[in-house]
């Protein structure tokens, strides 16, 4: 798969990419350069596939829990689902100050879906890529949230909702007035207000995406570096095993935390969009 440590790292950080090459037409990229040449419209097949896969797991588990729900002694799955729903519902009630029946289901979907995508990081870094390589795939990544395309896709979706509800609740004029007269309520300072408010507005989706991507990508790099230790002698291999377990335990906290942060910020931003000043 890769000869040197540098090649190994680059290989594991490259997505399976499908797109239209300017010279070779539509194809799977066989090198990182081919993937780059395909441009913006290329599709990261592995990111799309694992995102959809974890989304289907989410739907399957929650649907099964709903179908088999009982008023008697609940099973383990029902307990888990009820805990998730109650936790998110309580947080939304405390954080969201408007009236919108969409917010709680949206928050639950974001939390569970991101948690499942992040959880793929718990799998040993070489298992799935090695299996994919044996089946003919030159590149394969399994953690969608370690791909900025996935995190920006979600954050842009949240940003669109922020704009839609800001206009729906406040009206176009009210939203424009809020941007123009906050924080300084004077017409002479409208240009200053617009600069400050627009920067703050566009920073929201960027910070949402980069926070999640940065944490997951950095964790992926560390796992890859630890994996390199297995081929560096017995002592380094033993150290690698110890470090891998320590880093995995650390990610037991990081994985749900990042899902939680993304969900909370989404609710906070949408709450602000519903507030009339």
């Amino acid at each position: 798969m890769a000869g040197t440590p540098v090649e190994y790292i680059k290989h594991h950080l490259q997505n399976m990419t499908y797109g239209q090459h300017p010279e070779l037409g539509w194809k799977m990229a066989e090198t990182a350069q081919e993937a780059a040449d395909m441009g913006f419209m290329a599709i990261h097949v592995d990111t799309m596939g694992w995102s959809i896969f974890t989304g289907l797991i989410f739907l399957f588990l929650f649907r099964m829990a709903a179908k088999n729900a009982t008023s008697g002694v609940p099973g383990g799955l029902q307990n888990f689902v009820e805990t998730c729903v109650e936790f998110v519902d309580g947080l939304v009630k405390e954080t969201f100050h408007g009236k919108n029946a969409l917010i709680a289901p949206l928050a639950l979907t974001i939390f569970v879906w991101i948690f499942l995508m992040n959880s793929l990081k718990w799998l040993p870094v070489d298992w799935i890529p090695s299996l994919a390589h044996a089946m003919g795939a030159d590149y394969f990544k399994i953690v969608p949230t370690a791909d900025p395309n996935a995190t920006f896709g979600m954050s842009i979706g949240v940003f669109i909702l922020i704009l839609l509800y800001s206009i729906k609740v406040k009206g176009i004029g009210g939203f424009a007035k809020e941007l123009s007269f906050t924080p300084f309520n004077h017409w002479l300072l409208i240009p200053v207000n617009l600069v400050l408010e627009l920067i703050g507005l566009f920073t929201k989706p960027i910070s949402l995406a980069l926070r999640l991507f940065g944490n997951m990508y950095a964790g992926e790099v560390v796992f890859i570096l630890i994996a390199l230790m297995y081929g560096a002698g017995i002592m380094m291999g033993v150290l690698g095993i110890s470090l891998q377990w320590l880093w995995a335990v650390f990610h037991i906290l990081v994985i749900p935390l990042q899902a939680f942060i993304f969900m909370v910020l989404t609710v906070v931003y949408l709450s602000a969009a519903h507030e009339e000043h």
Side-chain angles (χ1 to χ4, degrees), residues 140-181:
F140 202 78
K141 285 175 62 177
I142 69 166
V143 183
T145 46
D147 182 355
N149 291 278
T151 59
F152 269 100
M154 291 185 290
S155 69
I156 289 171
V158 172
F159 181 63
I160 291 172
L161 289 176
I162 292 171
L163 295 179
L164 287 177
Y165 284 118
S166 293
I167 295 172
K168 180 180 179 180
V169 173
K170 305 164 188 176
I172 295 179
F175 184 42
K177 183 178 179 181
E178 180 181 270
L179 295 176
S180 301
F181 290 93

Side-chain angles (χ1 to χ4, degrees), residues 157-239:
V158 172
F159 181 63
I160 291 172
L161 289 176
I162 292 171
L163 295 179
L164 287 177
Y165 284 118
S166 293
I167 295 172
K168 180 180 179 180
V169 173
K170 305 164 188 176
I172 295 179
F175 184 42
K177 183 178 179 181
E178 180 181 270
L179 295 176
S180 301
F181 290 93
T182 305
F184 306 112
N185 190 18
H186 196 284
W187 65 271
L188 286 175
L189 296 174
I190 287 178
V192 176
N193 290 334
L194 283 175
V195 171
L196 293 176
E197 288 298 301
L198 288 175
I199 289 175
L201 185 64
F202 286 104
T203 297
K204 291 176 180 177
I206 295 173
S207 64
L208 269 180
L210 291 183
R211 181 182 292 104
L212 178 59
F213 162 70
N215 279 275
M216 293 300 105
Y217 185 83
E220 192 82 349
V221 171
V222 172
F223 273 124
I224 292 171
L225 292 174
I226 293 173
L228 286 170
M229 300 175 72
Y230 289 98
I234 296 176
M235 292 301 295
M236 291 298 289
V238 172
L239 179 60

Side-chain angles (χ1 to χ4, degrees), residues 111-152:
F111 177 71
V112 178
W113 192 25
I114 293 179
F115 173 77
L116 290 173
M117 288 191 286
N118 290 352
S119 296
L120 294 171
K121 190 179 288 292
W122 285 329
L123 295 174
V125 70
D126 270 329
W127 281 12
I128 304 300
S130 295
L131 180 61
H133 184 70
M135 298 173 65
D138 293 318
Y139 300 98
F140 202 78
K141 285 175 62 177
I142 69 166
V143 183
T145 46
D147 182 355
N149 291 278
T151 59
F152 269 100

